[in-house]
Amino acid sequence: MKKLHFVNGKWSGQHLETINVYNPATQEVTGEVPKGGREEAANAIKAAHLVFPEWRGKTAYERAAYMQKLYLLMLEHKEELAHIMTTEMGKPIAEARGEVEYAASFLDWFAAEAKRMYGKTIPAHVPNKRLQVWKQPVGVVAAITPWNFPLAMLTRKMGPALAAGCPIVMKPSGETPLSAIRLMELCEEAEFPAGVVNLITGSSSAIGAEIMANEKVRKITFTGSTEVGKTLMRQGADQIKRLSLELGGHAPIVVLDDADVEKAVQGAAVSKFRNGGQTCICGNRIYVQSAIYETFISRFSEVVAKLKIGNGLEAGVDVGPLINQAGVEKVDKHVQDAVSRGASLMVGGEPVQDLGPCYYKPTVLKDVDHSMLIMKEETFGPVAPIQAFETDEEAAALANSSPYGLAAYVFTESHRRGIHLIENLEYGIVGWNDGAPSAAQAPFGGMKESGLGREGGEQGLEDFLETQYVSISV
Ligand code: NAP
């Protein structure tokens, strides 16, 4: 059945052309959504703009109550949401359940944070003045999200926007709009005022063009590739749009020779193979100090060889399909390039055609180096390339030799070495003996070409607020 747009509290888009949504595990059509464009985007922005005075005028406690209601509804419908997510993007059902909880946690945490949106009083330089800093919601927010976290990337933006008093217009990825539409049905149940939460699907370039040109949109929050992020930044220049950009990554995992090897192996496997290697913070390059290089590779290869690949709905599957065939082609290109330049294949190294066109074997490559594509480009797939290093300084230099700066991982039992190394890493997020660092209450975001701003934590709310300085003469 065709799902619809949620705009101004109503379902619309029946008349529009339809886009099919495919299940990457089976290639079956799993749903249909309307192909919206500039007009639909403009209508949604108008609705959000009209309700802005009402929404910002509510107390933080009132806004939090709506958000809490949605949070509880998401948990109540966890199983159903997880099923939709696995069916449209392929991640194993256990991971999908985890994502529903993670996604809901942004509503819970920011509902509470709404009540702590403090301003400031500054001591004045003369007796007859009172200097104050007030916080104001930035205005209508437009959110554009990717397919790899179909719910969490929406709520990580909705949470702080709604808490701050900003209505939101969202455009999910064309690959995964069904989870997003189900979330809108829950928003309807939570009875947000019409226009506070809106969602449209369709042509990304047309919807993007309207969002960037429409003066009512005061802030863009985007998660996706660095390439599209740069386009949006250019398009936003004319109106000096507020921008938050959560972009690509190429995370290094550095394993020092005093690491607990088993902990490092398990941590690296979690970081690398979660979501089939399709997260922006997935380890994409593993550097292991020479004294433990062989031991690490041997144990890591054993763990990877046991990962079960298949349809994410089946019990016990660790790695599902990639999002589409282009994803498989990119992964295979990286592997073939590395092998042709001298890397050795320890595990995997090919598609699993028997399962369908979107599956790729979890793969371990040994003796890679920086001449290889895989050490320079985001792979977004289940391939772990491993390179040896000698000194901590060399590890930092290798880790930093990328235009990206999102997440890095360090495995060491030494506080002294860990602290020195991390201080030298140009990365916005570091997991120290930890392969899964994300949490709603912590600032998530990158340095360098991985983006601008932070999502989550108090910093996440700040990005949806304007600072207004008020000087009062008394
Ligand atoms: P993408 O191709 O950049 O797409 C992201 C979103 O932008 C989608 O909704 C897409 O819509 C839309 N889009 C594409 N072209 C556009 C344009 N010209 N104007 C406006 N919107 C446009 O990225 P993806 O392949 O979906 O996601 C993977 C990327 O996201 C990776 O690079 C990953 O590292 C990054 N990511 C970053 C984070 C983070 O927090 N830093 C988190 C998750 C993912 P359509 O899909 O409908 O074309």
Side-chain angles (χ1 to χ4, degrees), residues 145 147 156 171 173-174 204 222-225 246-247 280 378 444:
T145 58
W147 48 264
R156 202 162 77 174
K171 195 217 77 73
S173 164
S204 52
F222 171 76
T223 298
S225 61
E246 293 288 347
L247 308 177
C280 51
E378 197 176 24
F444 187 106

Side-chain angles (χ1 to χ4, degrees), residues 144-149 153 156 171-175 202-209 212 222-229 231-232 235 245-249 278-281 378 380 404 406 444-446 450 455:
I144 302 176
T145 58
W147 48 264
N148 60 347
F149 288 94
M153 296 303 101
R156 202 162 77 174
K171 195 217 77 73
S173 164
E175 308 270 6
S203 158
S204 52
S205 53
I207 294 171
M212 300 315 287
F222 171 76
T223 298
S225 61
T226 296
E227 192 192 342
V228 174
T231 303
L232 297 178
Q235 292 176 342
L245 301 173
E246 293 288 347
L247 308 177
Q278 303 170 108
T279 88
C280 51
I281 61 167
E378 197 176 24
F380 245 53
Y404 295 112
L406 187 56
F444 187 106
S450 285
E455 289 188 330

Side-chain angles (χ1 to χ4, degrees), residues 138 218-221 236 239-244 463 466:
V138 65
R218 303 302 290 274
K219 179 179 171 75
I220 316 296
T221 168
Q239 294 173 17
I240 317 288
K241 296 265 199 208
R242 301 285 177 273
L243 276 173
S244 294
D463 272 11
E466 290 282 14

